[in-house]
Amino acid sequence: MQTILIKGGRVIDPSQGIDRVADVTLDRGRVLAVGEGPESADVVIDARGMIVCPGLIDAHVHLREPGNEEDETIATGARAALAGGCTSVACMPNTRPAIDSQGAAEFVVLQARRARQANVYPVGAVSKGREGVELAELGQLVAGGAVAFTDDGAPVASASLMRRALQYAKMFDRCIMQHCQVLELTVGGVMNEGFESMKLGLGGMPAAAEDIMVARDIRLAEITGGRLHIQHISTERAVELVREGKRRGIDVTAEACPHHFTLTDDRLRTFDSNYKMNPPLRTGPDVEAVIEGLKDGTIDLLATDHAPHAAEKKLRELDQAPFGIVGLETLIPITALALIEPGHLTWADAIRKLTVEPARLLGIDKGTLRPGADADVTIIDPNTTWTIDPSAFYSKSRNTPYAGWEVHARAHTVIVSGEVRYTLGGIVRESAVPA
Ligand SMILES: [Zn+2]
């Protein structure tokens, strides 16, 4: 395997507190060193003006395989991940059939290995068939490669099942990722419940549906000592609850998705289903609370909830269209636009929430440029103006609310296991060293 020298970039590795211009040398699939690089290498990458960081990790994506390959496959989703700068993703188990057995988890691992794009880690179902009744075989799922558990797409509605899941997952030091929503309160809901839903005459999903489940589960994490992760946090009160839970020493983490810190529910006035997601777009104060939570560390990580749906599904009427938007290929530019450029987070803060924090959550040996670490590296161009064009996505689906947005940052070159697997071109050169 080849040596790669990444020269002159701004190296940001929050796992080691590094933020300075340096070379990064990769050798035989591992990080050799950060610092002054060697004279020559098999491949030389000119990273001047770029950010060089550990490969980004998205802890929340839907890859739709098996069962909905018309929306996405493990191969296309893992390719979209690379194009978005992610070298590792954790995929949710709401496939058909659900990832609720060792064999199902192993299928994901195998398909990802065949695709040879980003690394893909399966998240197993909490309950058999994601039906919310009987606990899945968590131990077997771990044996098959599952890194966490969730019934995402739906919450674990039963408090007693959630309690047992937290207890049992703790034995494997895995977290339960919860889609927090009291379903009785959101039946028939299309968007956030409030002024906008009333005006539009659309079914509402109250913020309280999320808040109540977050409060319940934090309490269950407290009495079990289990690890609770709140997925796609979207309300002001939920952020407060996580902040308070952390203060009390409870093992709770949270993630926020770009749409929940960039868009509000008034967008639904267009009746465009690319603004329909679950949890829904909320209000201005909720967006501010999510940003505040990201700033003060209440919200540990950024994740996309990449939810591809084929065009014919999203083109249905708003109340019939499925929830969700694609997110992988807009993660970096939208994060930069909404959090970094206005000064809410530094690049180092954002990269921490996309490297060390998700690696810790998933318990995977990634997210660092320490010598000996897997050579997964993302090179970001932070200063390039471009327009988001869904027709250019690698994802099979195009359901994004960000089409036409002018943005300024982008994944440029992505290395996985010491292989350049994605590049916009122009900076990667085979060294001219004579054979
Ligand atoms: Zn969800």
Side-chain angles (χ1 to χ4, degrees), residues 239 243 287-299 344:
V239 175
R243 187 177 288 125
V287 167
E288 282 165 34
V290 168
I291 292 173
E292 205 45 52
L294 285 162
K295 284 166 76 169
D296 74 6
T298 300
I299 302 173
H344 299 309

Side-chain angles (χ1 to χ4, degrees), residues 239-419:
V239 175
E240 276 173 32
L241 286 161
V242 171
R243 187 177 288 125
E244 183 199 288
K246 284 190 157 159
R247 205 180 293 137
R248 294 174 54 206
I250 299 162
D251 199 344
V252 56
T253 53
E255 74 192 23
C257 306
H259 45 276
H260 288 131
F261 55 78
T262 51
L263 304 170
T264 46
D265 60 353
D266 54 326
R267 297 267 178 175
L268 270 305
R269 292 176 195 172
T270 60
F271 289 89
D272 180 344
S273 70
N274 287 325
Y275 299 111
K276 181 182 178 184
M277 51 284 275
N278 187 5
L281 299 178
R282 304 285 187 185
T283 66
D286 296 304
V287 167
E288 282 165 34
V290 168
I291 292 173
E292 205 45 52
L294 285 162
K295 284 166 76 169
D296 74 6
T298 300
I299 302 173
D300 307 80
L301 43 133
L302 295 164
T304 64
D305 192 7
H306 177 79
H309 292 291
E312 63 269 23
K313 297 180 188 170
K314 275 302 230 186
L315 282 171
R316 287 178 203 148
E317 278 182 66
L318 195 58
D319 56 345
Q320 299 295 314
F323 291 101
I325 57 166
V326 291
L328 281 165
E329 291 168 84
T330 51
L331 169 64
I332 291 175
I334 298 300
T335 297
L337 190 74
L339 300 179
I340 298 168
E341 290 164 26
H344 299 309
L345 295 185
T346 63
W347 272 107
D349 296 332
I351 289 168
R352 165 178 294 280
K353 291 179 194 299
L354 286 163
T355 55
V356 248
E357 295 294 350
R360 184 181 307 158
L361 178 78
L362 303 171
I364 59 175
D365 208 5
K366 296 282 185 187
T368 178
L369 296 176
R370 282 211 172 80
D374 293 345
D376 294 357
V377 182
T378 298
I379 301 175
I380 297 168
D381 186 344
N383 291 304
T384 174
T385 297
W386 63 291
T387 303
I388 293 171
D389 172 12
S391 73
F393 284 171
Y394 286 90
S395 170
K396 266 197 177 183
S397 293
R398 310 269 179 259
N399 48 312
T400 177
Y402 300 115
W405 283 41
E406 195 181 280
V407 288
H408 314 108
R410 181 170 206 174
H412 190 289
T413 297
V414 182
I415 298 166
V416 182
S417 302
E419 285 178 6

Side-chain angles (χ1 to χ4, degrees), residues 60 62 152-154 179 231-232 278-279 305:
H60 190 157
H62 298 268
D152 183 50
H179 171 118
Q231 299 182 292
H232 40 49
N278 187 5
D305 192 7

